[in-house]
Amino acid sequence: MRRRAAALTAGALTGALALTGCSGSGAGSEKAELSVSASYMPQPVSADMAAGFLTITNKGASEDELTSVTTDAAGEVTMHSTTGGAMAEQTSFAIPAHGKLVFRSGGNHLMFEKLKHAPKQGQTVTVKLGFAKSGPLTVEMPVKSTTYNPSTGH
């Protein structure tokens, strides 16, 4: 009888500890931890359209999704993927846990359409990124020369 009582008590303690592990106190480590780097916009050659590039890094243990991009500088910002030379508009992009989402020339990119004014080299464009799980991030995107290539620095 004593062994059975001890086994029941041990089982109850194990269950209580397991439930404690599910409480909100440990949830912080399961979130995405997003940051943005290498953002830029080449000075547009068109009066009403421009491209934008950046890298979103996720140091967290949970994936997230980029779901929207907005700016006061353009009437609309769309997100595009490029595969095998074919461009396709996307409504979201996955950002893997402990990974990166890269927007670069010739690949994934942002399209700023219906520009309200043509940004010039040396200016910045403020962009707000929206995510499925994380709060929004505001990014100051510097306008670089039309031929800017980040691998060469100019």
Side-chain angles (χ1 to χ4, degrees):
M1 186 74 163
R2 289 179 117 185
R3 282 188 184 180
R4 186 170 180 210
L8 288 172
T9 302
L13 283 172
T14 302
L17 289 173
L19 287 175
T20 302
C22 292
S23 72
S25 63
S29 62
E30 296 297 319
K31 288 184 176 179
E33 295 176 30
L34 305 177
S35 62
V36 177
S37 61
S39 67
Y40 74 97
M41 172 188 285
Q43 181 173 309
V45 293
S46 166
D48 62 347
M49 190 177 297
F53 309 102
L54 51 83
T55 298
I56 303 172
T57 301
N58 182 358
K59 293 184 179 179
S62 180
E63 73 172 20
D64 205 339
E65 281 184 83
L66 177 64
T67 57
S68 67
V69 182
T70 58
T71 181
D72 290 339
E76 182 179 21
V77 183
T78 54
M79 301 181 285
H80 295 163
S81 63
T82 304
T83 306
M87 185 174 74
E89 187 172 333
Q90 303 294 320
T91 57
S92 66
F93 278 95
I95 309 164
H98 306 291
K100 293 182 180 187
L101 170 59
V102 178
F103 289 87
R104 61 179 171 74
S105 183
N108 300 335
H109 60 280
L110 304 175
M111 289 300 303
F112 296 79
E113 301 170 43
K114 303 173 192 163
L115 291 173
K116 295 178 181 174
H117 61 77
K120 303 284 186 223
Q121 183 176 345
Q123 296 177 332
T124 59
V125 175
T126 302
V127 177
K128 187 174 182 178
L129 306 176
F131 302 94
K133 300 174 186 172
S134 302
L137 290 176
T138 300
V139 177
E140 294 296 323
M141 186 173 276
V143 180
K144 302 288 190 174
S145 71
T146 302
T147 58
Y148 176 74
N149 181 346
S151 63
T152 63
H154 50 75

